[in-house]
Amino acid sequence: MAKLTQDELLAQFEELTLIELAAFVKAFEDKFDVTAAAPVAVAGIAGPGAVAEVVEEQDEFDVILDGAGDKKIQVIKEVRTLTSLGLKEAKDLVDTAGAKVLEKVAKDVAEKAKAALEGAGAKVTVK
């Protein structure tokens, strides 16, 4: 029996219908005790894990003001310094519970803003 090259073998497979090809794969698996689907399952499992690693690395943070505390005027001054808002806008922001002082900033900027606001007496969350 003559040995077929890879190109000749692929040419033979091109002539088969999908049903014939599926039957061939089944017969091949039975004859050699292998499974053609195993590599696909491994690749499917690895895919979501890689996506989860990317999601964990957050580089944009929001600074959220949870409460002004006892020194509301000091907090308003800090909000004005951080955001360059006017007095009325800064006061409205401080009066609103859960207001975002800064959005999508770097981690170091968010941490500095949190420290400044907490130094003024506010309760702050960084998300």
Side-chain angles (χ1 to χ4, degrees), residues 15-126:
E15 295 176 13
L16 296 177
T17 65
L18 286 177
I19 295 172
E20 293 170 332
L21 189 57
F24 171 76
V25 170
K26 175 72 174 136
F28 187 89
E29 289 175 342
D30 291 342
K31 170 91 176 173
F32 296 104
D33 195 29
V34 294
T35 304
V40 174
V42 171
I45 292 170
V51 172
E53 291 176 15
V54 173
V55 172
E56 291 175 14
E57 296 179 23
Q58 182 180 357
D59 60 350
E60 293 181 339
F61 297 87
D62 294 337
V63 179
I64 301 170
L65 185 64
D66 294 328
D70 296 334
K71 301 177 183 177
K72 187 174 177 180
I73 294 173
Q74 295 298 329
V75 174
I76 292 171
K77 287 180 181 179
E78 283 301 326
V79 168
R80 289 189 68 201
T81 303
L82 294 169
T83 62
S84 70
L85 291 174
L87 182 59
K88 181 176 180 353
E89 292 85 4
K91 181 185 178 303
D92 292 343
L93 190 130
V94 170
D95 289 339
T96 306
K100 291 182 182 178
V101 178
L102 297 173
E103 293 184 60
K104 297 181 181 180
V105 296
K107 185 175 183 175
D108 60 334
V109 174
E111 291 298 325
K112 287 179 185 176
K114 180 180 178 184
L117 288 167
E118 286 178 342
K123 294 179 184 173
V124 182
T125 304
V126 176

